[in-house]
Amino acid sequence: MAKALSIDSFLKMDLSLIIDVRSPREYAESHIIGAQNFPVLQDEQYEQIGILYRKDSFKAKVLGASFASSNIAKHLLELQEKISPKKPFGIYCARGGMRSNAFFMVLQAIGYQVVLLEGGYKSYRKEVLQSLQKPPPHRFITLVGQTGSGKSEIIQNFKDSLDIEGIAKHLGSSFGAICGKQPSVKIFQNLLFARLKSLENAPFVLVEGESKKLGNLILPTPLYTSYQNAPKVLIVTPLEQRVQRIVAQYGKISLPFFENSMQKIAPFMKKEFWQEAKNAFYAGNLVRVAEILLLEYYDKVYKKESYLCKIPYQSLSQVCLDIEVFAKEFYQQK
């Protein structure tokens, strides 16, 4: 087996595990999706060696080797249950240098089928950015429809789908920040890249017609343009079901979150309805809050999309089947 593989060959391999040997701080900032962190140098060790290197490079190498030997020894015992000599796994550091090579040589000497990523994480990030700057090769089907119509749950339950909201941890609206902390820009890009790569052989990819900006994150223009220009399917759902879905999804938001979100949309609502929605929230009447916001804000502010097919949402299984039938007919699949 080759000692080092290019990023293209590395990603094509069926690896049982990918080991990131960079420091915990480097890993936390961003990493190859699915990789696990087994640092050759801890954060404080990495900093200590960097300072020493500028004064005496040889002493820095000696100290680094000492730290690395101790850390690798511990990791070998931890990894016994995760890796097997019968299955290949990958390893990388920042640039494919001393840290990953040190761990690689020990693993290879033991008899493990380990492959090293040539160029390290830097080569992976270069591949991610280059890929996201190009139009994706996927054939998209884009869901559109009124807020609360069930597009998100369709995406989440459809096998070959790109769940942009899930990846961004944001629902894309003024009330959309209910999913917790958003990923960093780099992690967001890595997640998009990894998911799109996993869908390369899908007959078509289902995606929601998201806006380009979700919270603090912005979608790559080629991806955004591609799904916006794809055939659109309108999901139609009665108001009562939309209200129920919104209450279930947003019903536990805090008062400060609600008031902050309402402040954002104040310029886009008639004052009487805006105030009525607030009063209903204070009274605990969440059904009325959802109804007002859907009718007097979302349905009026969000533009109506053109579409090629209209599908009523009667059940999750039915709507998914109808989408699949439309997609197969549109793309003339056998």
Side-chain angles (χ1 to χ4, degrees):
M1 187 176 293
K3 173 185 175 182
L5 295 180
S6 67
I7 182 60
D8 187 56
S9 298
F10 189 87
L11 292 175
K12 285 179 180 176
M13 283 201 70
D14 182 18
L15 300 172
S16 61
L17 179 69
I18 298 177
I19 298 172
D20 182 325
V21 305
R22 298 174 304 155
S23 67
R25 186 177 295 122
E26 291 173 284
Y27 176 84
E29 182 188 357
S30 65
H31 51 268
I32 294 178
I33 302 305
Q36 296 183 27
N37 190 212
F38 289 87
V40 165
L41 297 174
Q42 298 294 336
D43 291 329
E44 63 279 2
Q45 295 172 339
Y46 188 57
E47 291 175 10
Q48 185 180 345
I49 291 166
I51 293 170
L52 180 60
Y53 192 87
R54 289 188 286 273
K55 298 176 182 178
D56 189 326
S57 61
F58 186 78
K59 284 186 177 180
K61 290 177 182 178
V62 172
L63 182 61
S66 173
F67 286 150
S69 297
S70 175
N71 291 326
I72 289 172
K74 295 176 184 176
H75 294 329
L76 287 173
L77 297 176
E78 296 174 41
L79 281 166
Q80 283 185 101
E81 303 302 319
K82 293 178 178 287
I83 57 178
S84 163
K86 297 179 181 179
K87 296 180 180 178
F89 61 95
I91 188 170
Y92 70 91
C93 63
R95 294 178 176 83
M98 294 182 67
R99 287 183 288 176
S100 56
N101 269 284
F103 207 161
F104 171 86
M105 286 189 290
V106 174
L107 291 165
Q108 189 181 54
I110 292 172
Y112 285 115
Q113 296 184 56
V114 56
V115 293
L116 184 68
L117 173 56
E118 187 177 29
Y121 182 68
K122 186 177 181 181
S123 68
Y124 175 78
R125 279 294 297 166
K126 183 179 179 182
E127 178 73 10
V128 168
L129 294 176
Q130 287 180 345
S131 174
L132 294 179
Q133 287 167 6
K134 302 173 186 175
H138 309 73
R139 300 193 291 189
F140 290 109
I141 296 292
T142 304
L143 297 187
V144 297
Q146 294 171 306
T147 301
S149 58
K151 302 184 297 296
S152 296
E153 64 191 48
I154 295 170
I155 294 291
Q156 291 164 8
N157 287 277
F158 204 90
K159 179 188 173 187
D160 295 327
S161 67
L162 177 64
D163 184 4
I164 296 174
E165 289 182 347
I167 292 173
K169 289 194 174 181
H170 199 282
L171 305 183
S173 69
S174 299
F175 289 83
I178 63 170
C179 305
K181 184 180 178 181
Q182 289 192 273
S184 67
V185 172
K186 289 181 179 179
I187 286 291
F188 178 60
Q189 292 169 338
N190 292 357
L191 286 164
L192 283 176
F193 170 79
R195 183 56 180 160
L196 286 168
K197 198 156 193 66
S198 73
L199 292 166
E200 282 180 342
N201 297 319
F204 69 92
V205 176
L206 195 64
V207 64
E208 187 174 345
E210 303 288 354
S211 58
K212 193 172 184 182
K213 190 173 187 295
L214 291 93
N216 298 320
L217 299 169
I218 299 175
L219 287 162
T221 297
L223 171 61
Y224 174 77
T225 302
S226 185
Y227 71 70
Q228 286 294 341
N229 291 335
K232 292 185 172 69
V233 172
L234 176 70
I235 304 300
V236 182
T237 308
L239 177 62
E240 182 183 354
Q241 291 179 22
R242 293 170 59 207
V243 168
Q244 290 174 358
R245 190 171 282 117
I246 292 301
V247 170
Q249 193 167 32
Y250 294 88
K252 295 183 180 180
I253 61 174
S254 67
L255 176 59
F257 181 92
F258 174 78
E259 291 184 330
N260 181 57
S261 300
M262 287 297 289
Q263 203 59 44
K264 292 178 185 176
I265 68 173
F268 308 101
M269 280 184 77
K270 288 184 177 180
K271 190 172 182 179
E272 59 189 283
F273 293 116
W274 182 80
Q275 190 60 55
E276 185 184 350
K278 291 188 72 173
N279 291 340
F281 187 87
Y282 299 147
N285 189 351
L286 300 182
V287 170
R288 182 57 183 156
V289 176
E291 188 177 57
I292 294 170
L293 291 179
L294 288 175
L295 293 175
E296 302 300 332
Y297 172 64
Y298 287 102
D299 290 358
K300 291 184 176 180
V301 172
Y302 282 56
K303 68 175 184 177
K304 291 179 173 60
E305 302 270 6
S306 58
Y307 56 89
L308 293 182
C309 176
K310 180 164 66 173
I311 298 176
Y313 192 145
Q314 297 168 341
S315 71
L316 183 59
S317 58
Q318 158 267 321
V319 76
C320 288
L321 180 60
D322 288 349
I323 291 168
E324 197 157 345
V325 169
F326 166 76
K328 287 182 177 179
E329 290 178 353
F330 183 87
Y331 287 119
Q332 297 181 333
Q333 299 165 17
K334 294 181 180 179

